Amino acid sequence: AEHPIEAAPAALDAADAAPLPALAESDSALRAAIGELVGEQALLDFFQMTGIVAKFVATVDNLPRAKVATRILPVRGPGGALAVDGEGEARVIGAGNADRYAAHLRLLESVDSQRAAAAYVRLYPLLQQAYRELGYPQGNFNDRMVAVIDHLLATPAVEGPIRLVQPKVLYEFADADLEARSAGQKLLLRMGTANSDLVKKWLRQFRADVTVAPPPQ
């Protein structure tokens, strides 16, 4: 493994953790762990309550790919449609679109990244099992997690409004390079620079607690 979880700084706190349930019976343990991080109300408001481990692992694995199916998301998405300003070739992502993510960003900022990393390490055997059952029998999930974080951190910062086109029903980025980006990077681009910067800051802190190697420059 490139990033063995046993070597992570957060692993120091997990040595005396209670035994974990079987993966198929792990939802209650995950609900309890998430509830400790975000509170009971946020747990009810934001999180899907069944198959949490498998959904989390599949979502992480899919973020660098072209699409992430909504049915595997462990967290409910923002409400409403993409906010668009302008018409025709002057259409851009609307100035108010970033507001759609405000509740999710408040939730993320409320979660201490070190406590989240400690919970991740404590529950890691379940995540590792789910990753192998996803189709990676020799895989190491923390390697994938770190690679995905680095991929998200590499999302470009775009100055000014992002232009859109609408070839069919759905909007696409007018810039071919942006349109070719992964589902995870497009999500960060859609939420706006300020929100994206907050997500990246949190991910850098979390990454530091689940690996000893610094991110690529």
Side-chain angles (χ1 to χ4, degrees):
E2 187 177 357
H3 301 287
I5 198 68
E6 300 80 13
L12 297 174
D13 299 327
D16 301 322
L20 292 173
L23 178 59
E25 299 159 3
S26 62
D27 279 345
S28 60
L30 264 291
R31 283 195 292 268
I34 296 169
E36 287 179 9
L37 292 171
V38 303
E40 198 63 31
Q41 191 58 52
L43 180 69
L44 296 172
D45 291 345
F46 287 93
F47 289 87
Q48 306 289 1
M49 299 298 225
T50 58
I52 303 170
V53 174
K55 286 176 179 173
F56 175 77
V57 167
T59 297
V60 169
D61 186 52
N62 276 271
L63 283 172
R65 306 186 196 281
K67 292 184 178 180
V68 179
T70 54
R71 61 182 170 74
I72 68 169
L73 295 175
V75 178
R76 298 183 181 95
L82 179 72
V84 177
D85 291 341
E87 296 181 2
E89 294 187 4
R91 281 180 295 205
V92 296
I93 293 180
N97 195 62
D99 295 341
R100 296 172 57 224
Y101 301 91
H104 288 75
L105 267 292
R106 283 196 299 271
L107 175 69
L108 183 66
E109 286 192 292
S110 75
V111 177
D112 181 84
S113 59
Q114 288 185 318
R115 290 183 62 216
Y120 170 83
V121 171
R122 188 170 72 249
L123 298 166
Y124 185 77
L126 296 172
L127 301 169
Q128 176 66 14
Q129 181 183 346
Y131 186 58
R132 295 198 167 180
E133 291 183 4
L134 189 62
Y136 304 97
Q138 306 302 319
N140 180 56
F141 181 65
N142 201 46
D143 285 355
R144 184 61 173 165
M145 170 65 85
V146 173
V148 171
I149 290 174
D150 290 344
H151 173 77
L152 295 176
L153 293 177
T155 305
V158 178
E159 298 295 328
I162 296 178
R163 286 186 52 238
L164 299 170
V165 292
Q166 192 178 20
K168 295 179 182 176
V169 176
L170 300 177
Y171 288 105
E172 297 178 1
F173 295 121
D175 184 310
D177 174 65
L178 298 184
E179 182 56 32
R181 299 267 167 177
S182 68
Q185 291 194 350
K186 283 181 176 177
L187 173 60
L188 291 178
L189 290 165
R190 283 195 301 272
M191 69 172 57
T193 302
N195 286 343
S196 176
D197 285 348
L198 284 172
V199 173
K200 288 179 178 179
K201 178 183 177 182
W202 194 95
L203 287 174
R204 285 190 192 96
Q205 293 170 337
F206 180 83
R207 187 195 190 285
D209 284 310
V210 298
T211 178
V212 293
Q217 296 301 314

